[in-house]
mmCIF file of all heavy atoms in Angstrom:
data_model
loop_
_atom_site.group_PDB
_atom_site.id
_atom_site.type_symbol
_atom_site.label_atom_id
_atom_site.label_comp_id
_atom_site.label_asym_id
_atom_site.label_seq_id
_atom_site.Cartn_x
_atom_site.Cartn_y
_atom_site.Cartn_z
ATOM 1 N N VAL A 344 335.979 135.403 179.255
ATOM 2 C CA VAL A 344 336.793 135.713 178.072
ATOM 3 C C VAL A 344 336.037 136.740 177.216
ATOM 4 O O VAL A 344 336.491 137.667 176.668
ATOM 5 C CB VAL A 344 337.094 134.430 177.334
ATOM 6 C CG1 VAL A 344 337.593 134.712 175.851
ATOM 7 C CG2 VAL A 344 338.088 133.729 178.153
ATOM 8 N N VAL A 345 334.675 136.505 177.053
ATOM 9 C CA VAL A 345 333.936 137.347 176.227
ATOM 10 C C VAL A 345 333.842 138.758 176.812
ATOM 11 O O VAL A 345 334.139 139.760 175.945
ATOM 12 C CB VAL A 345 332.444 136.827 176.153
ATOM 13 C CG1 VAL A 345 331.514 137.899 175.565
ATOM 14 C CG2 VAL A 345 332.365 135.562 175.268
ATOM 15 N N ILE A 346 333.631 139.018 178.115
ATOM 16 C CA ILE A 346 333.641 140.415 178.682
ATOM 17 C C ILE A 346 334.976 141.049 178.488
ATOM 18 O O ILE A 346 335.032 142.241 178.164
ATOM 19 C CB ILE A 346 333.136 140.194 180.165
ATOM 20 C CG1 ILE A 346 331.695 139.748 180.202
ATOM 21 C CG2 ILE A 346 333.122 141.630 180.657
ATOM 22 C CD1 ILE A 346 330.698 140.355 179.295
ATOM 23 N N ALA A 347 335.982 140.410 178.681
ATOM 24 C CA ALA A 347 337.240 140.946 178.555
ATOM 25 C C ALA A 347 337.588 141.305 177.135
ATOM 26 O O ALA A 347 338.139 142.415 176.797
ATOM 27 C CB ALA A 347 338.408 139.910 178.980
ATOM 28 N N ALA A 348 337.169 140.555 176.197
ATOM 29 C CA ALA A 348 337.235 140.924 174.740
ATOM 30 C C ALA A 348 336.382 142.078 174.365
ATOM 31 O O ALA A 348 336.800 143.004 173.608
ATOM 32 C CB ALA A 348 336.845 139.655 173.819
ATOM 33 N N ILE A 349 335.115 142.198 174.872
ATOM 34 C CA ILE A 349 334.278 143.386 174.651
ATOM 35 C C ILE A 349 334.888 144.493 175.239
ATOM 36 O O ILE A 349 334.915 145.615 174.506
ATOM 37 C CB ILE A 349 332.873 143.112 175.086
ATOM 38 C CG1 ILE A 349 332.194 142.037 174.287
ATOM 39 C CG2 ILE A 349 332.005 144.469 175.187
ATOM 40 C CD1 ILE A 349 330.777 141.512 174.953
ATOM 41 N N ALA A 350 335.362 144.461 176.439
ATOM 42 C CA ALA A 350 336.080 145.690 177.010
ATOM 43 C C ALA A 350 337.209 146.091 176.189
ATOM 44 O O ALA A 350 337.467 147.249 175.980
ATOM 45 C CB ALA A 350 336.479 145.298 178.518
ATOM 46 N N ALA A 351 338.013 145.197 175.744
ATOM 47 C CA ALA A 351 339.253 145.556 174.972
ATOM 48 C C ALA A 351 338.792 146.298 173.647
ATOM 49 O O ALA A 351 339.346 147.263 173.202
ATOM 50 C CB ALA A 351 340.090 144.340 174.655
ATOM 51 N N GLU A 352 337.808 145.703 173.001
ATOM 52 C CA GLU A 352 337.318 146.324 171.747
ATOM 53 C C GLU A 352 336.800 147.757 171.964
ATOM 54 O O GLU A 352 337.173 148.683 171.214
ATOM 55 C CB GLU A 352 336.213 145.457 171.160
ATOM 56 C CG GLU A 352 335.703 146.014 169.890
ATOM 57 C CD GLU A 352 334.423 145.236 169.339
ATOM 58 O OE1 GLU A 352 334.174 144.014 169.723
ATOM 59 O OE2 GLU A 352 333.658 145.886 168.560
ATOM 60 N N LEU A 353 336.092 147.964 173.129
ATOM 61 C CA LEU A 353 335.440 149.298 173.310
ATOM 62 C C LEU A 353 336.736 150.229 173.669
ATOM 63 O O LEU A 353 336.562 151.528 173.412
ATOM 64 C CB LEU A 353 334.489 149.122 174.356
ATOM 65 C CG LEU A 353 333.166 148.430 174.102
ATOM 66 C CD1 LEU A 353 332.305 148.330 175.293
ATOM 67 C CD2 LEU A 353 332.465 149.057 172.999
ATOM 68 N N ALA A 354 337.627 149.790 174.231
ATOM 69 C CA ALA A 354 338.889 150.558 174.534
ATOM 70 C C ALA A 354 339.783 150.770 173.303
ATOM 71 O O ALA A 354 340.891 151.390 173.504
ATOM 72 C CB ALA A 354 339.556 150.011 175.674
ATOM 73 N N GLY A 355 339.552 150.185 172.207
ATOM 74 C CA GLY A 355 340.365 150.205 171.072
ATOM 75 C C GLY A 355 341.716 149.431 171.293
ATOM 76 O O GLY A 355 342.696 149.654 170.562
ATOM 77 N N GLU A 356 341.613 148.277 171.968
ATOM 78 C CA GLU A 356 342.751 147.462 172.251
ATOM 79 C C GLU A 356 342.551 146.179 171.679
ATOM 80 O O GLU A 356 341.431 145.660 171.560
ATOM 81 C CB GLU A 356 343.063 147.348 173.722
ATOM 82 C CG GLU A 356 343.269 148.709 174.435
ATOM 83 C CD GLU A 356 343.528 148.778 175.816
ATOM 84 O OE1 GLU A 356 343.266 147.600 176.437
ATOM 85 O OE2 GLU A 356 343.730 149.786 176.468
ATOM 86 N N PRO A 357 343.561 145.317 171.439
ATOM 87 C CA PRO A 357 343.420 143.927 171.112
ATOM 88 C C PRO A 357 342.864 143.073 172.132
ATOM 89 O O PRO A 357 343.115 143.371 173.351
ATOM 90 C CB PRO A 357 344.823 143.431 170.646
ATOM 91 C CG PRO A 357 345.770 144.505 171.268
ATOM 92 C CD PRO A 357 345.093 145.747 171.559
ATOM 93 N N ALA A 358 342.207 142.047 171.869
ATOM 94 C CA ALA A 358 341.742 141.166 172.914
ATOM 95 C C ALA A 358 342.773 140.679 173.602
ATOM 96 O O ALA A 358 343.811 140.162 173.048
ATOM 97 C CB ALA A 358 340.705 140.054 172.226
ATOM 98 N N PRO A 359 342.586 140.477 174.910
ATOM 99 C CA PRO A 359 343.710 139.851 175.819
ATOM 100 C C PRO A 359 343.855 138.337 175.385
ATOM 101 O O PRO A 359 342.873 137.669 174.944
ATOM 102 C CB PRO A 359 343.265 140.052 177.292
ATOM 103 C CG PRO A 359 341.778 140.131 177.082
ATOM 104 C CD PRO A 359 341.578 140.958 175.786
ATOM 105 N N VAL A 360 345.133 137.642 175.790
ATOM 106 C CA VAL A 360 345.156 136.314 175.631
ATOM 107 C C VAL A 360 344.279 135.579 176.487
ATOM 108 O O VAL A 360 344.488 135.761 177.712
ATOM 109 C CB VAL A 360 346.655 135.888 175.685
ATOM 110 C CG1 VAL A 360 346.885 134.410 175.528
ATOM 111 C CG2 VAL A 360 347.568 136.685 174.801
ATOM 112 N N PRO A 361 343.439 134.680 175.998
ATOM 113 C CA PRO A 361 342.472 134.077 176.974
ATOM 114 C C PRO A 361 343.074 132.736 177.599
ATOM 115 O O PRO A 361 344.061 132.222 177.262
ATOM 116 C CB PRO A 361 341.371 133.611 175.977
ATOM 117 C CG PRO A 361 341.976 133.370 174.797
ATOM 118 C CD PRO A 361 343.192 134.272 174.664
ATOM 119 N N SER A 362 342.398 132.445 178.705
ATOM 120 C CA SER A 362 342.644 131.169 179.456
ATOM 121 C C SER A 362 341.345 130.635 180.050
ATOM 122 O O SER A 362 340.497 131.570 180.149
ATOM 123 C CB SER A 362 343.843 131.321 180.589
ATOM 124 O OG SER A 362 343.307 132.179 181.501
#
Side-chain angles (χ1 to χ4, degrees):
V344 169
V345 167
I346 298 305
I349 292 173
E352 180 186 340
L353 294 175
E356 300 173 354
V360 177
S362 61

